[in-house]
Amino acid sequence: MRESVQLIVFSYFMKCTLCWWLGGSEEVPETGYAGYSGPLKEGNQNVQRVSWYEETKSKYHCGLFNWGRCSRYGAAEKYYFKCLDGWAQRTQSSDKCELAICDAKTNLMGACSIYYSNDYQKTRAGIIRSSGGSCTSPDTCTNCKTGYYSDGPYCRICGKIDHCNHRVCTTGSSQICEWCEGELRPEPYYRAYTQHLDNTQCQKACSWRADSTRCYPGECTNELASNCVCATNFGGTHCENINDSPDILYNFCEFSDTSGFNVLKNDPNWDLNNHPIIWTNFVAYKRIKLEIHAKYLQPADNRDPAKHYVRGFRVGVIEEKVTLSYYKGSTLNSVKASTCPGMDKSQPVDDKFCESSINSWTGFEHDDKVIAEFSSTNGGYVKVADREQSYNDGVINTYYYNGQTATREFEYHWDLVDPFHCSVSSGTSCSPFVDVGTDITDNPSITFTWDGWSDALSGLDHYEYDLFELKDGLELVDGNDKKQTNANVSVAESSATITMTEPGMYSIHMTAVDKAGNYMTGRNLFLFDDESVVDKQGDPTYCPTASEDTSYIWVVVDTDKVKVQFKDRFINTRHKNNRWLNGVQTYNPSKVIYEDLYGTIVDFQVSYEVHSAPDTVKDSRLLTSISQLKNQYDILTLNWADGDRLTSTVKAFDVLREFNEDTIVIYKDATPPLIENLWLTKGDRLNISVHNLEDFTQMTIEWEAYDIHSGMDSVYWKLYDYKTGDLHGYENIIAQGSAADISSCESQYGSYARGANCYCTPFQGCFHRHFQIKPEIKLSGGLLQNKDSGMHEYDYYIEVSVTNIANITTVLKKKITIDISPPHSGIVHDGIKGNQEIDYQQGTDLKAYWEEFFDRESGVFFYQYIVGTSCADKNDFTLDKTNPNLVETYNTFGSHTASVDGTYYFTVVAYNRALDPSDPVCSDGVTVDSSVPGVQEIVVENSQITGGLIKDSTSTNYYILGSNRMRRLIPNPTAVCVSRATLLNDIDLYPQEKFDNGSLVEVDGNVFCANSSGAPSNIGLTLYKSSLMEISWEPVDIPAKVYDYELGFSSTSGSAAPDIMAFESTKQHAHHRVVHTNIPDGTQFYIIIKTISKSNVEGLTTLGPCFMDTTPPEFVGGSSVFTVKLSGDYLMTSWPEDAVSDSEEFFELDYKFAVGHSSFGTDVQDFQPLLSGDSCTLNYPPHCTAVNISDMDWFLHGHHTYYVSIKITNSAGLVTIQTSDPYIHDVQLPAEGVIIDIDPQNYMTDIPLKDIEDVDFQTSTTSISARWSGFAHPHLNVTYKIGIGTTAGGSEVVSMKDVGTSLSHQESGLSLTPFETYYFTVTAVSSAGVSAVSSDGVTIITENDGLSGITIHDGKPCNMTDLTLGHHEDDNRLVCAVDADVQISTSSLNAYWSVPVGIQPYTTDAYIAIEKRTGVGNMWTIFRDFVHYATVFDVSINDLTLDPGIKYRIVLKLCARTICFQTVHTDGVMVIANPPIAGDITIEHLNTTAGNGVEKLLVSFTQFYDPDIEDTTEKL
């Protein structure tokens, strides 16, 4: 028994031998026993006991003499030991389970660690690509390498941080940076990126890197490059730009001759940036002395010299230079330069003074110049340690600063030409070179002026002047007796004043000096005599062309020739008596001067100006000498007109241009004044020639008199008898002038009668032109005593005489008549003359005329009338027109537009020419009524309509309308009434039902509203009897009342000329009886009632449409025109739109439908209104109805027959019912079949007998094919539609098209996109519906196309992280590479590759071949042809015989089934199976200890080589 147990236990351990790495077997041993002992020990680490009980059976002796055999049964405990879940033994003999399992691996199998080929952690100790870690408990990794974190059964790399070498984290998103890229020390100036401010990112620091910033001189707050602030006056990315320039402290350039007497130099302390010019006329300079001093101080160098990456810094002045450029005119001739030594960009200085001397140019000419440019440039360098190249600052890079250059220029210019005066230029008119103003003066203060001096090149520098007295003699002598001098007069000055003490003849010498020292002089002569006098004598200057009556002031003839006379007016004798008019001797100093050549003449000059207004010169002439001095007059030819002013000046000159003058002013006005509008007035009434009283003192005379050229001088009027000439009165009145301007005139005469009516003359002021005289009896002027009254019906004259200031007179007279009796009254009629007088009218334009008004003495002058709703009183008529309703006219008719309807009256008054009114006369009035008459509540006997709920236009009153057109009021409309009632604008045409006592019949809304529908919006009237039509109505009350009614029938609504029955009068009755037998059935017509008011307004009331109907609707085509089908959940019935007709119906027919098991049956669904649903939309006329089968009274059963009936009712109540053909209710859809994509090249229309393979790929881009089967229906025929798209069910490539009953289809002429998948969709169509199925798709492949993104390597996938070693264990494995270049094995080749996920769906098959390279050269041949390897990403071929020293490579061909792409291959692996051949080794002992040398062993050997490689360059 023990042996069997041991066998069982051994078997158990044999089973566990295969699984101990996973922590023990889960398989329960077949048996066991109490006290079992094995490798695992109970109580040891992670060991658990598994026990159970089994029944035992034993035999023993029993019975008599123990001869019998009996069985004994019992229970034996069985058990074994195993590791806890997640734990495993280190070895098969381990008695404990000390290895934790993480994702089926223990530490011995490389648990936890992941190798990252595309990422790593770079610590200061080195690069870490494997995450490391230890599986310390089931699926729990700890002790991950730095930069990796525990993520259950693995250690994973921390998330990326830009520019971070070493990240640490505890989770996948908690990474922080321990060490940034370019950080040499964790302190300032030693890191290109830093994380000391925020360890979640590496921020660029100021550093030595070119992509950062040196930032010197400058400060980087918190080390960040983004915080770099350059020092003052520095800029740029690295603060490499100096923004300010050096200071030039001293700049000196001096030209000198040999003696040093003639020196030309600048201001050495000139520090402005302009371009000063130093002028000279000296040409013999020999030497040029140059001096320059510039300074630039660098900013403070505050860096830490022990730590900063900037190891040196210096800026300052790096160049001082003087450049002399010699120009001949504007052309550069030559250049001389002097540069200060001892400075450059590597040797800047703070400041330096430099001086030098060079030879001058010779032969300077006019307009030569030398530009002296002093320049100074700053710059310097900074030395920066590249600490990534040399940690100990062994690599220093020098960078130079971009400086600024300060320049200062001075111009030395040669001017060898004297100044000149403009008078030397021929034909030039200019100011005198010196002018004393007047050659003869008595003013001791002599102010003389000069102008016109200039210098063509350097310009004037200053003036000088001298005063000389000319001595008496045969000729006056100049230049001997200097009285005054001034040698420095600014060029800004143009005048000076000297004070004379003695009379005599003098000269002024004026000298102009330019900036180069050149000069020119001119002189002027003058006589000073404070006792000299020029007199006037004789008659003054005057104009004999002017009127003597105006004291020669006004020219009153129309002429443009005017004579100005000044005979014997001027005389002067003092100059001759004092002998100051002798000639002056010519002045001849050492240098030529300008002479005073102005002559001595005697002259009369005349000028004039013609003004049309004070500020407007119309014509003028400057002073012009007369041709004949002896005549002493001038004839002026003028451009002037009436009102213009001539101002003429005469100047008489003596021998030295002393003069005296006269000025005269004359005016022109050759036209007389004007008198207008002479008449009598009464209030605002003008142009009256008849006076209504005999008293002249009650008369008002008015006129307008004016002269716009010269103005008014006097005004005179008189009144005298028409026949005898007896004078009744006269008076001279003021001319109403004396105003300076128009505003003064309007202010002065604003209170005069009719207000100011002012005008202004050009020069005589402003005048008031309106005159009003109310004659009074006066002793002097005015009406004469006893002559102040006239006689009735007698004529008189008023005469007015006016004279203008030019003394021209105009006279005007006016005849007047006296009439003291008013006009006689007449008659006023309403209407237009020649027509019958009216009492009513519809328009608001009122007309009236009058007659028989007359006045025997002066006649009727005009009329006034007032139109109102009552007659006007005499007091309403006034001449001042204060009544706004008063109309004045000279006609015998009038008009008025009334604003509203009503009765209006014309009241008329006539006025004679004396403005006396007649008594008012009033018309009998006319009534205006524009109301359109009409009728209401029209009753038509023997008629019928479609009624229902209605409401008025204001939605206020609600009614139930009966088929007899009677409406009954609903006083309590419910919400149902409000929503259902139809709004009728012509609701008043329907009569209201009333009781005998006249009260309205009312109905309960709670009863009628819920049980009634709305009336049609267009209610027609049907006549169902062909005998007499009886119609009655009620008139609409209007003010003008009804004159008559007319009734007619028309084919159009609202027709004013009925075409069926013309209007016929009802003889003013509100009812009528008409025979309408001539109206055929079905003819639509309208009843037109014309109502005519007494104001002749016509109103038309239309009732209709009306028609006669005696036939029911007609359904054309019978049952065959119906289409009944099931669409979704709807049973749809349709028929042609023109199938239903009713030629006599002009309103909408009523349609209803029913469903039954038999023709015309209604047992499934009773008649109800048509319904919309699915694709059926109700409109009129309807052509379909749809009912949801779940909403019908009874359900429909499958494959049963039904009928749909349509009932049509017209407005006359006549009905037509039409039933459909039988409809079989089949709802089962075709079965969903199977679709197989077929290669178009193998497409056949006949289905082959054998099965065909469904293709997933094809090469054709122009066609696609498929077969299908399994679409079937037990009762119905099935046809097919196909579509093609890029998604299952899509049809954007080929829209759904009918292919009939075909079970295959090929679509050609397509343009399919490579590597796109297309789906073939088949839709099975039956009368019960459709079923659609799509294929699994076919992808378009381009054969032998190149694929991108595929990588292939020799060897096996490299993983150096798949082994976890103990503390005392070493990893002795060879380090593997991503791509193997050599191998030892001669029997196997390995390769692996990766394929992008996007192309894996169509690279399902891999074919592998092996190529062999020739021993010498690079020729590859097939070693083993392609073998199919299905879908794999690595291959290991172990049955090879490879030659040592030969290179082999794996060739990969990826295919989509049988369609393959271009091949890719590895770069090859060299088979090196034998050790290299060693060369000779030589050892030499060198002892050079003498002389402090070194003792050495020199070992040399020849190169090793591979014995199998033929190529000599590869075998070494």
Side-chain angles (χ1 to χ4, degrees), residues 1359-1365 1370-1376:
N1359 184 2
M1360 294 298 294
T1361 62
D1362 60 351
L1363 179 62
T1364 301
L1365 301 175
D1370 294 325
D1371 187 357
N1372 296 318
R1373 295 176 298 172
L1374 292 176
V1375 177
C1376 67

Short mmCIF file of all heavy atoms in Angstrom, two decimals, residues 1359-1365 1370-1376:
data_model
loop_
_atom_site.label_atom_id
_atom_site.label_comp_id
_atom_site.label_asym_id
_atom_site.label_seq_id
_atom_site.Cartn_x
_atom_site.Cartn_y
_atom_site.Cartn_z
N ASN A 1359 15.23 42.13 -26.71
CA ASN A 1359 14.67 42.50 -25.41
C ASN A 1359 15.68 42.14 -24.34
O ASN A 1359 15.88 40.97 -24.02
CB ASN A 1359 13.35 41.77 -25.17
CG ASN A 1359 12.68 42.21 -23.87
OD1 ASN A 1359 13.19 43.08 -23.18
ND2 ASN A 1359 11.54 41.62 -23.57
N MET A 1360 16.34 43.15 -23.83
CA MET A 1360 17.33 42.91 -22.78
C MET A 1360 16.74 43.08 -21.39
O MET A 1360 17.45 43.16 -20.41
CB MET A 1360 18.51 43.88 -22.96
CG MET A 1360 19.33 43.64 -24.21
SD MET A 1360 20.11 42.01 -24.23
CE MET A 1360 21.26 42.17 -22.87
N THR A 1361 15.40 43.16 -21.32
CA THR A 1361 14.77 43.41 -20.00
C THR A 1361 13.96 42.22 -19.56
O THR A 1361 13.12 42.35 -18.68
CB THR A 1361 13.87 44.64 -20.12
OG1 THR A 1361 12.84 44.38 -21.08
CG2 THR A 1361 14.66 45.86 -20.57
N ASP A 1362 14.14 41.06 -20.16
CA ASP A 1362 13.29 39.91 -19.85
C ASP A 1362 13.90 39.00 -18.79
O ASP A 1362 13.51 37.86 -18.65
CB ASP A 1362 13.00 39.12 -21.12
CG ASP A 1362 14.29 38.61 -21.76
OD1 ASP A 1362 15.38 39.02 -21.29
OD2 ASP A 1362 14.19 37.83 -22.73
N LEU A 1363 14.85 39.48 -18.03
CA LEU A 1363 15.48 38.63 -17.02
C LEU A 1363 15.71 39.44 -15.76
O LEU A 1363 16.24 40.57 -15.83
CB LEU A 1363 16.83 38.08 -17.53
CG LEU A 1363 17.60 37.19 -16.56
CD1 LEU A 1363 16.78 35.94 -16.23
CD2 LEU A 1363 18.95 36.81 -17.15
N THR A 1364 15.27 38.92 -14.64
CA THR A 1364 15.50 39.55 -13.35
C THR A 1364 16.49 38.69 -12.58
O THR A 1364 16.26 37.50 -12.36
CB THR A 1364 14.20 39.70 -12.56
OG1 THR A 1364 13.29 40.49 -13.33
CG2 THR A 1364 14.44 40.37 -11.23
N LEU A 1365 17.60 39.27 -12.18
CA LEU A 1365 18.66 38.53 -11.50
C LEU A 1365 18.64 38.81 -10.01
O LEU A 1365 18.22 39.89 -9.56
CB LEU A 1365 20.02 38.94 -12.09
CG LEU A 1365 20.19 38.68 -13.61
CD1 LEU A 1365 21.51 39.22 -14.09
CD2 LEU A 1365 20.05 37.20 -13.91
N ASP A 1370 24.81 37.33 -12.05
CA ASP A 1370 25.30 38.20 -13.13
C ASP A 1370 24.56 37.87 -14.42
O ASP A 1370 24.20 36.71 -14.67
CB ASP A 1370 26.80 37.99 -13.35
CG ASP A 1370 27.61 38.47 -12.15
OD1 ASP A 1370 27.19 39.46 -11.53
OD2 ASP A 1370 28.64 37.84 -11.86
N ASP A 1371 24.37 38.88 -15.24
CA ASP A 1371 23.76 38.69 -16.56
C ASP A 1371 24.89 38.51 -17.56
O ASP A 1371 25.61 39.46 -17.92
CB ASP A 1371 22.91 39.93 -16.94
CG ASP A 1371 22.14 39.71 -18.22
OD1 ASP A 1371 22.30 38.65 -18.84
OD2 ASP A 1371 21.36 40.62 -18.59
N ASN A 1372 25.07 37.27 -18.00
CA ASN A 1372 26.17 36.96 -18.92
C ASN A 1372 25.71 36.86 -20.37
O ASN A 1372 26.44 36.34 -21.22
CB ASN A 1372 26.84 35.65 -18.48
CG ASN A 1372 27.48 35.79 -17.11
OD1 ASN A 1372 28.12 36.81 -16.83
ND2 ASN A 1372 27.30 34.78 -16.24
N ARG A 1373 24.49 37.32 -20.63
CA ARG A 1373 23.98 37.24 -21.99
C ARG A 1373 24.69 38.24 -22.89
O ARG A 1373 25.11 39.31 -22.45
CB ARG A 1373 22.48 37.52 -22.04
CG ARG A 1373 21.63 36.49 -21.31
CD ARG A 1373 20.16 36.90 -21.32
NE ARG A 1373 19.97 38.17 -20.62
CZ ARG A 1373 18.81 38.84 -20.61
NH1 ARG A 1373 17.78 38.34 -21.28
NH2 ARG A 1373 18.70 39.97 -19.96
N LEU A 1374 24.80 37.87 -24.20
CA LEU A 1374 25.34 38.81 -25.16
C LEU A 1374 24.33 39.95 -25.38
O LEU A 1374 23.13 39.72 -25.44
CB LEU A 1374 25.61 38.11 -26.50
CG LEU A 1374 26.74 37.06 -26.49
CD1 LEU A 1374 26.81 36.39 -27.86
CD2 LEU A 1374 28.07 37.70 -26.15
N VAL A 1375 24.84 41.14 -25.49
CA VAL A 1375 23.96 42.29 -25.73
C VAL A 1375 23.42 42.19 -27.16
O VAL A 1375 24.18 42.04 -28.12
CB VAL A 1375 24.72 43.61 -25.54
CG1 VAL A 1375 23.80 44.78 -25.87
CG2 VAL A 1375 25.25 43.71 -24.11
N CYS A 1376 22.09 42.23 -27.26
CA CYS A 1376 21.48 42.13 -28.58
C CYS A 1376 21.28 43.50 -29.20
O CYS A 1376 21.21 44.50 -28.48
CB CYS A 1376 20.15 41.38 -28.51
SG CYS A 1376 18.87 42.29 -27.62
#
